[in-house]
Amino acid sequence: MPSAADRLEFGPPRDSGSVRAFGLALLAHLLLMGALTWGINWKRTDKAASFEAEIWSSVPEAAAPKLIEAPSTPPPPPARPAPVVTAPPAPKVDIALEQEKKRKLLQQQKEEAENQRQAKLKAELQAKKEKELKDQKAKEELAKRKAAEDAKKAEAKKQDAKEDEKQKQAEAAAKKQRDDNIRRMMGQAGATGGATATGTATASKGPSASYGGKVRAKVVPNIVFTDDITGNPTAEVEVRTTLDGTVLSQRLVKSSGNKAWDDAVIKAIIRTGTMPRDVDGRVPTPMILEFRPKD
C-alpha cells in the first residue's frame, strides 16, 4: 500500500500563490463593500470618527483557483454589401432567334388578318351580287308580268274596238238601209219615170250646172280649218238628204290624204244641216261633193 509520501509525490504540485490570490480577492470584496457604504452614507460621515480594521485568519484555507482569462473573442468582420447578382447577357444568337420568331408571328398575324379581310370582302361582294341578281330577276318578272297585263289589256281593247267597229258598221248599214227605203218610198211617191225605170230619183235628170256652187257657198263657211297644208288635195263626200234638203248622212268616199281636212269637211256638212234646192226646187240625193282647202 502506498504511503502518504508516495501520494504527495504523485499528486499535483502545491500552488504557492493561492494565499496571495485569496487575499487579493478578499481585499477586492472589502473595497467594493466600502465603496457601496460610502456611496450611501457619504453625506452623514462624521469626520471626527475613524475606523481601523485588520483581517487575519489562523485557520489555513485552500487557495482559490488561478484566474484564467478567457480568450478575447475577435470582433466580427465588417459587413460587406451583398453582391449584386446579374444574369449573364443573353447570347446574340438567342436574341436574333427571338426577334425572328416575333417577326414571323407578326407576319403570320398580318396574313391571317388580311385573309380574314379578303374573305369578308369576298362574302360581301357575293352577297351584293346575289342581291343584285335577285333584284334583277324580280324586275324582269315584274316587267314580264306588266307586259303580259298590257298585252292582255291591249288585246281586250282591240277586241272591244273590233266589236265597236262591227256594231258601228251594223248600225251604219241598218241606217243606210232605212234611209234607202225612206228615199225609195218618197221618190216613188213623186216619181216621173216610166214603168220600166229602175232608178230611185223623182226625175231622170241630174242637178243643174250651178247647183254645185250653191252647195259650196252654203257649206264652205262652216269649215273650220287653220292648219297649213301642202298642195290642194280633194276630199270627196257622199251626202244623202230628204226631199226638203235635210242632211240624213255624210260619208267620206275619197280622202284628201290629210285627215284634219277630211274631218273639217265632214263637220262642216253636219253644221250646215240642210242642202239648198236646185233651180227646179228639188234637192238631188245622193250627191258627191268635192272640197279643196285652197278653192
Side-chain angles (χ1 to χ4, degrees):
M1 182 176 181
S3 61
D6 294 335
R7 288 195 301 269
L8 291 175
E9 182 180 358
F10 294 100
R14 185 180 299 270
D15 189 2
S16 59
S18 60
V19 176
R20 186 178 58 185
F22 178 78
L24 291 176
L26 182 60
L27 178 60
H29 282 81
L30 291 176
L31 290 176
L32 179 60
M33 292 177 62
L36 292 174
T37 302
W38 179 79
I40 295 172
N41 300 316
W42 66 275
K43 291 184 178 180
R44 295 180 299 173
T45 302
D46 189 1
K47 294 182 180 181
S50 60
F51 297 90
E52 182 178 356
E54 180 179 358
I55 298 174
W56 57 276
S57 175
S58 58
V59 180
E61 295 181 0
K66 182 179 180 180
L67 181 63
I68 301 173
E69 295 181 359
S72 61
T73 304
R80 290 182 297 174
V84 178
V85 179
T86 59
K92 292 184 178 180
V93 177
D94 294 343
I95 296 176
L97 291 175
E98 187 67 23
Q99 291 178 351
E100 182 65 17
K101 288 181 180 179
K102 290 182 179 180
R103 187 188 66 79
K104 289 183 178 180
L105 179 60
L106 182 60
Q107 182 66 24
Q108 183 179 1
Q109 292 176 351
K110 288 182 178 180
E111 291 178 356
E112 291 178 355
E114 181 64 20
N115 293 336
Q116 292 178 358
R117 189 183 71 83
Q118 292 293 339
K120 183 178 179 182
L121 181 60
K122 185 177 180 180
E124 291 177 353
L125 291 176
Q126 184 66 24
K128 184 177 180 181
K129 289 182 179 179
E130 292 178 356
K131 184 177 182 301
E132 291 177 352
L133 183 60
K134 185 176 179 181
D135 293 343
Q136 184 65 25
K137 288 183 178 180
K139 289 180 180 179
E140 291 177 356
E141 185 66 22
L142 183 61
K144 289 180 180 179
R145 192 179 306 168
K146 187 175 183 302
E149 292 177 355
D150 292 343
K152 187 176 180 181
K153 289 180 181 179
E155 184 65 23
K157 189 179 293 185
K158 186 177 179 181
Q159 292 295 331
D160 293 342
K162 287 181 179 181
E163 293 295 332
D164 292 342
E165 184 65 22
K166 288 181 181 180
Q167 185 176 358
K168 288 180 181 179
Q169 290 178 359
E171 290 177 355
K175 186 175 182 297
K176 183 178 181 299
Q177 184 67 34
R178 185 174 60 252
D179 293 343
D180 290 345
N181 293 335
I182 292 173
R183 284 193 297 272
R184 186 179 300 111
M185 288 185 294
M186 292 178 66
Q188 289 176 354
T192 59
T196 60
T198 58
T200 57
T202 56
S204 298
K205 64 176 183 179
S208 64
S210 63
Y211 184 71
K214 288 181 181 180
V215 173
R216 186 179 301 279
K218 192 172 184 179
V219 176
V220 170
N222 293 322
I223 297 176
V224 179
F225 185 75
T226 59
D227 297 346
D228 292 334
I229 189 170
T230 303
N232 195 22
T234 301
E236 296 182 3
V237 181
E238 179 189 68
V239 180
R240 294 178 180 271
T241 65
T242 60
L243 294 177
D244 63 353
T246 302
V247 177
L248 294 175
S249 65
Q250 57 282 327
R251 181 173 65 90
L252 183 68
V253 296
K254 182 180 179 181
S255 174
S256 65
N258 189 301
K259 188 176 184 303
W261 173 248
D262 296 341
D263 293 342
V265 172
I266 295 296
K267 291 178 181 178
I269 294 173
I270 294 173
R271 292 191 191 98
T272 302
T274 59
M275 294 291 106
R277 293 178 181 272
D278 201 354
V279 292
D280 58 359
R282 294 184 176 90
V283 179
T285 183
M287 52 183 156
I288 303 297
L289 304 179
E290 295 181 355
F291 296 92
R292 298 181 182 86
K294 296 181 180 180
D295 287 353

